Amino acid sequence: MAIIAGTYDFAVQRRSDHTELFRITDGNDAAVNLTGFTIAAQVWNTGTRTAKYADFTVAYTNRSNGEFSLSLTHVETLQFTPDQLSYDVLLLNPSGKREYYIEGNIFVSEGYTTL
């Protein structure tokens, strides 16, 4: 099973809750069974990687079908002061091998309405 790494950029509004859904597939576009895998993802400043802004909350929505979500709370996105940040998704397989599955940019826009 070879996981094909990729790039995925998305936008987040500051002060909003945000969730992205993912499905991991192999080179034949077949779902990767994530049973026994651990997934981690973090948000960092772009380029120098000197300031961590958040750890995504990972939810395994359908492990056998390679599906999971990454979420950020409005409290976390409030701290996103640059207009562009970077993230990646790291998979730890059951035998301990670490692979980066996806990476990309988060484009941050201002959320103006508050409660």
Side-chain angles (χ1 to χ4, degrees), residues 40-44 49 52-56 70 72 86-90 104 106:
Q42 297 176 335
V43 181
W44 288 81
R49 196 183 174 271
K52 183 169 81 168
Y53 283 85
D55 292 302
F56 282 96
L70 299 178
L72 297 163
S86 296
Y87 80 100
D88 57 21
V89 178
L90 178 66
I106 300 172

Side-chain angles (χ1 to χ4, degrees), residues 24 26 66 100:
I24 298 180
D26 64 16
Y100 286 96

Side-chain angles (χ1 to χ4, degrees), residues 98-115:
R98 296 168 185 257
E99 296 180 272
Y100 286 96
Y101 164 64
I102 195 164
E103 65 183 11
N105 295 301
I106 300 172
F107 299 103
V108 183
S109 63
E110 190 64 45
Y112 293 100
T113 303
T114 61
L115 294 176

